[in-house]
Amino acid sequence: MKTVAKIKAPIEHEMEIFEKKFSLFMSSRVALLNKITHFIVNRKGKQMRPMFVFLVAKMLTKGEVNDRTYRGAAVIELIHTATLVHDDVVDDSNRRRGFFSINALWKNKIAVLVGDFLLSKGLLLSIDNNDFDLLKIISVAVREMSEGELLQIEKSRKLDITEDVYYEIIRQKTATLIAACCSLGAAAVQPESEHVESMRKFGELIGMAFQIKDDLFDYGEDKIGKPIGIDIKEQKMTLPLIYVLNNASQKDKKWLINSVKNHNKDKQRVQEVISFVKASGGLDYAILQMKKYQAEASSILDTYPESEYKLSLQTLIDYVIEREK
């Protein structure tokens, strides 16, 4: 947690104000909704997405933020929270960040409605303040996230994901939201400037590295909140496995596909697949690609003048690929 505190240091004041504003943005006249949103607010994660918004905005203005910055950060967090609530319903997941999920405590119907409420709150926050440029950025992100999830479902049924398709899935599913955070940070303080696109690309690259790191956890040794081998059990084709499938002999390829398709609930077989992927260089290849994305993101950051906000963003890039969970 020390690294996160270090990253947050130059925006500590803004994050404190943001938390108060965010609670207000989530309020409702319905007591049940207020009870659930209070539960969500009190179990927040690291809040990396608002951090990106504030750090980018302050880097571009040498330390200034405005009301649009707070609204941009709130919109992204509302939309992100809505997708998490809906994801837990889709995945039939009972836990989120070590606590019971909304659907586990209040059942699926209420969880879906809460997700819809948060989504509409985010959209209305932009519309009511005429932040149509910010609304466009976030709406594109929501569309791409949905497409990415559906593309992954479609491809996992056939287990025919190429490396290019995998990159497209993670770009849409994960990277597009971090890209939206960074472009929102720029658009909030310098609308229609070249920084909006530059920061969008920067965020996308970090998002790509972030998801590859997440995929590597599937092959880890430690308990990190994500069970080992869960992607294989759910027939998700991740980069280490795709690389090994593309480079394996016909016999090994057949065994791997059969294992993932028909024996994905067999703990020993899943462990054998993990061992095979490791021994065949799948993890080394994925780490190499992750570091390429990290280096590309850093090179965009290098074009900006030195500041404590830039330093925090660089630390955040490094944290993404060095984190333990």
Side-chain angles (χ1 to χ4, degrees), residues 305-324:
E306 295 304 318
S307 69
E308 57 183 326
Y309 316 111
K310 177 182 168 177
L311 184 61
S312 271
L313 282 167
Q314 185 58 59
T315 309
L316 197 45
I317 300 173
D318 299 337
Y319 171 74
V320 158
I321 73 161
E322 286 159 14
R323 65 199 165 98
E324 298 299 319

Side-chain angles (χ1 to χ4, degrees), residues 67-217:
D67 285 343
R68 268 166 59 90
T69 320
Y70 286 104
R71 291 197 296 268
V75 166
I76 209 86
E77 196 67 352
L78 283 163
I79 303 291
H80 173 60
T81 308
T83 62
L84 293 184
V85 172
H86 282 162
D87 280 353
D88 287 339
V89 174
V90 170
D91 297 338
D92 200 18
S93 173
N94 292 323
R95 311 289 290 184
R96 168 69 62 182
R97 293 175 184 138
F99 297 97
F100 282 115
S101 57
I102 304 298
N103 51 301
L105 292 169
W106 286 281
K107 306 300 176 201
N108 284 351
K109 184 176 181 179
I110 289 175
V112 170
L113 292 169
V114 168
D116 292 347
F117 169 78
L118 294 172
L119 188 64
S120 66
K121 273 280 189 182
L123 301 177
L124 284 167
L125 183 59
S126 295
I127 292 166
D128 291 345
N129 291 282
N130 294 324
D131 296 329
F132 296 112
D133 56 336
L134 305 187
L135 181 60
K136 184 174 181 182
I137 290 168
I138 196 64
S139 299
V140 169
V142 172
R143 183 198 70 202
E144 295 216 313
M145 284 156 67
S146 308
E147 285 179 349
E149 286 285 359
L150 287 163
L151 180 60
Q152 184 172 53
I153 291 166
E154 178 196 323
K155 292 295 181 180
S156 65
R157 285 177 177 167
K158 297 177 187 171
L159 298 187
D160 65 346
I161 297 182
T162 62
E163 205 171 313
D164 285 346
V165 170
Y166 165 80
Y167 290 134
E168 184 55 18
I169 288 170
I170 69 167
R171 186 193 66 76
Q172 291 187 311
K173 216 181 86 159
T174 304
T176 191
L177 193 65
I178 297 176
C181 296
C182 296
S183 57
L184 276 174
V189 292
Q190 294 191 359
E192 295 180 31
S193 69
E194 72 278 9
H195 303 299
V196 178
E197 174 54 25
S198 167
M199 286 292 102
R200 186 204 66 78
K201 185 66 185 165
F202 167 74
E204 184 176 281
L205 292 161
I206 297 171
M208 298 293 280
F210 182 93
Q211 186 57 54
I212 296 172
K213 177 68 176 183
D214 234 38
D215 293 346
L216 286 163
F217 285 138

Side-chain angles (χ1 to χ4, degrees), residues 288-302:
L288 189 70
Q289 299 311 307
M290 176 180 72
K291 287 186 173 172
K292 278 184 187 172
Y293 283 114
Q294 181 205 25
E296 218 179 314
S298 293
S299 70
I300 291 176
L301 208 53
D302 286 344

Side-chain angles (χ1 to χ4, degrees), residues 275-289:
S275 299
F276 185 85
V277 169
K278 283 181 176 176
S280 306
L283 269 62
D284 295 336
Y285 180 77
I287 289 166
L288 189 70
Q289 299 311 307

Side-chain angles (χ1 to χ4, degrees), residues 226 229 260:
K226 173 182 175 179
V260 175

